[in-house]
Amino acid sequence: MSDTVTIQATKRDGSGKGFARSLRRSEKIPAVVYGHGYDPVSLTLDSHVLNKMFKPGHENAAEFQIIRLQIDSDGKQVEKKVMIREIQRHPLQQHIEHIDFFAVKMDEPIVAPVHIRLHGKPEGVKLGGILRHIIREIEVKSLPEDIPSHIDLEIGHMQIGDAIHVSDLQVSEKVQVLTDSAAAVVNIMMPTAAKADEEAQEGEEQAVEAAEEAPKTEE
């Protein structure tokens, strides 16, 4: 897990769309923190700080980072360890409009997805093979502080016909991988084999869609 960051927040009493709009006009962001064993608390955050901290396209890196949330509640400082559950953005301008925080207990395991980052250009691709990145994230279970921010996977050595499976990923002994260990994360196929595989998959999807759309007969 990457280093813990700190976010300053203020408890708020107002609610509703009109109140939220007035907050944004004053360069504040409405937010809420909730979690197992916690009563939901409505918050306001500094817009400049949060938009600089969490840029568009970086949600995966931010979602499962432990954050130290320091809340000013009627003049008293209350601190909670949280993770981001959801970031809502303006559809066009992409600035943050609302954040949901999920309060965690550091001594209780949680389940979270972890992104897989590929590194290197496979030898098999240089020879004309097709790289297929099948699984982009895995699901793990561990204490919050032990969840990795990502998993780095070196693929430069891979040849045509090679595959790397979930069981090949390097994770800490403190982390339990929940994703099927036999599932392929990445493989390299000949172009003809890759096309045939894609066509077979498309055929299966079309068959499922046709079955779902078919009229139901009453028994």
Side-chain angles (χ1 to χ4, degrees):
M1 179 65 68
S2 55
D3 294 338
T4 304
V5 299
T6 301
I7 294 177
Q8 304 292 334
T10 303
K11 183 180 177 181
R12 64 179 167 90
D13 296 320
S15 61
K17 292 183 178 179
F19 183 79
R21 283 195 293 269
S22 67
L23 280 178
R24 296 184 189 110
R25 284 195 295 269
S26 61
E27 300 183 337
K28 299 292 183 182
I29 296 173
V32 63
V33 56
Y34 54 88
H36 175 66
Y38 294 105
D39 292 329
V41 178
S42 297
L43 309 169
T44 58
L45 311 168
D46 185 284
S47 175
H48 290 297
V49 172
L50 270 295
N51 279 294
K52 185 176 181 180
M53 187 177 294
F54 304 120
K55 299 181 185 296
H58 291 73
E59 270 76 1
N60 282 342
E63 276 184 350
F64 297 96
Q65 180 179 20
I66 297 296
I67 295 169
R68 184 184 295 111
L69 190 63
Q70 294 183 340
I71 305 170
D72 184 350
S73 178
D74 301 322
K76 297 180 181 180
Q77 285 289 320
V78 178
E79 182 173 297
K80 292 184 183 295
K81 296 290 180 61
V82 303
M83 302 174 87
I84 292 177
R85 177 56 57 86
E86 182 182 13
I87 296 179
Q88 298 176 20
R89 295 185 181 275
H90 188 281
L92 298 178
Q93 300 174 13
Q94 288 297 295
H95 56 250
I96 298 173
E97 293 200 324
H98 191 278
I99 298 183
D100 285 11
F101 294 105
F102 184 78
V104 298
K105 295 183 178 180
M106 300 304 288
D107 59 349
E108 291 186 2
I110 61 173
V111 174
V114 177
H115 185 66
I116 300 170
R117 299 197 311 195
L118 304 184
H119 296 276
K121 183 173 182 178
E123 291 296 324
V125 170
K126 296 176 184 178
L127 297 174
I130 303 297
L131 173 68
R132 300 174 70 236
H133 192 178
I134 303 164
I135 295 180
R136 297 181 180 273
E137 64 182 26
I138 60 171
E139 192 172 67
V140 304
K141 181 178 182 180
S142 73
L143 295 177
E145 65 180 358
D146 294 325
I147 295 176
S149 57
H150 60 272
I151 295 174
D152 289 316
L153 181 60
E154 176 57 49
I155 61 172
H157 64 282
M158 294 182 69
Q159 302 289 343
I160 294 174
D162 286 351
I164 297 178
H165 300 84
V166 171
S167 58
D168 299 318
L169 299 176
Q170 300 297 313
V171 297
S172 166
E173 295 178 353
K174 299 177 181 178
V175 177
Q176 177 187 0
V177 177
L178 302 180
T179 303
D180 182 5
S181 62
V185 175
V186 60
N187 64 19
I188 299 180
M189 304 177 70
M190 288 296 292
T192 52
K195 184 177 181 180
D197 186 72
E198 289 177 2
E199 290 176 349
Q201 186 174 357
E202 289 176 0
E204 292 177 1
E205 292 174 352
Q206 291 172 359
V208 171
E209 291 175 359
E212 291 175 346
E213 295 174 357
K216 299 293 188 297
T217 56
E218 295 184 4
E219 297 181 357

